[in-house]
């Protein structure tokens, strides 16, 4: 069982030249994503800032949302038990369960000074995001970053 009071899971840095993670997952988000992975297979996030709850992180089966040069890959998570428990004895290694977090470049222009944490709350989310039938939705908690490059 996952410790929901655990520190957030930081994404691997994916923006060239950066050294700090821009996005993380709460322990509750990791637990939900593992459940969704069993149903949908590999997953991805996209935050567009557009209509249809686009200001919320939307979770899709990997490849169901087509990204382009107008999107920024903010980070990649590995939600496998081995990766999450890397500081503890996690037992046998497991296969990576990688999840990319994408944001539209227009949205990134507003959020470039902000660290994002994906969390889960009860309530109805977007009908397009895979967590909607679970009666919960993903949301972003944010804090200003002291430093990050690029600040757009």
């Amino acid at each position: 069982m996952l410790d929901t009071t655990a520190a957030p899971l930081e994404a691997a840095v994916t923006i060239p030249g950066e050294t700090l993670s821009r996005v993380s997952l709460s322990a509750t988000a990791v637990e939900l994503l593992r459940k969704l992975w069993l149903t949908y297979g590999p997953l991805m996030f996209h935050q567009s800032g557009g209509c249809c709850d686009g200001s919320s992180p939307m979770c899709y089966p990997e490849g169901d949302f087509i990204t382009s040069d107008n999107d920024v890959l903010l980070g990649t998570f590995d939600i496998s038990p081995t990766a999450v428990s890397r500081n503890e004895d996690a037992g046998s290694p497991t296969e990576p369960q990688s999840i990319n977090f994408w944001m539209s470049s227009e949205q990134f222009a507003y959020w470039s000074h902000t660290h994002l944490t994906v969390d889960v709350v009860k309530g109805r989310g977007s009908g397009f995001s895979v967590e909607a039938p679970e009666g919960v939705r993903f949301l972003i908690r944010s804090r200003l970053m002291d430093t990050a490059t690029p600040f757009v």
Side-chain angles (χ1 to χ4, degrees):
M1 177 161 212
L2 188 65
D3 177 6
T4 57
T5 62
L9 174 66
E10 295 293 332
V13 175
T14 53
I15 297 177
E18 291 198 349
T19 58
L20 298 174
S21 174
R22 289 182 171 274
V23 61
S24 63
L25 297 172
S26 71
T28 305
V30 171
E31 188 173 17
L32 177 60
L33 288 164
R34 285 182 180 156
K35 179 180 178 182
L36 295 170
W37 187 286
L38 293 174
T39 302
Y40 299 99
L43 301 166
M44 65 182 289
F45 277 105
H46 189 271
Q47 185 165 341
S48 68
C51 69
C52 304
D53 293 332
S55 58
S56 298
M58 310 242 319
C59 186
Y60 304 98
E62 177 66 35
D64 272 15
F65 186 92
I66 306 299
T67 57
S68 73
D69 291 344
N70 291 321
D71 296 296
V72 177
L73 178 60
L74 292 187
T76 299
F77 301 103
D78 182 356
I79 63 165
S80 65
T82 302
V84 172
S85 302
R86 66 181 145 242
N87 294 328
E88 302 170 11
D89 181 13
S92 301
T94 58
E95 292 293 319
Q97 294 175 300
S98 298
I99 299 176
N100 290 329
F101 189 100
W102 294 88
M103 179 178 280
S104 71
S105 57
E106 184 177 81
Q107 184 83 346
F108 183 64
Y110 291 106
W111 290 79
S112 66
H113 300 78
T114 309
H115 180 277
L116 310 173
T117 300
V118 180
D119 202 357
V120 178
V121 294
K122 289 183 179 179
R124 184 186 176 280
S126 167
F128 300 120
S129 194
V130 295
E131 82 281 9
E134 305 294 327
V136 294
R137 62 185 176 93
F138 291 109
L139 92 152
I140 291 293
R141 300 188 190 281
S142 63
R143 65 175 165 79
L144 290 177
M145 297 175 71
D146 294 330
T147 61
T149 303
F151 272 2
V152 178

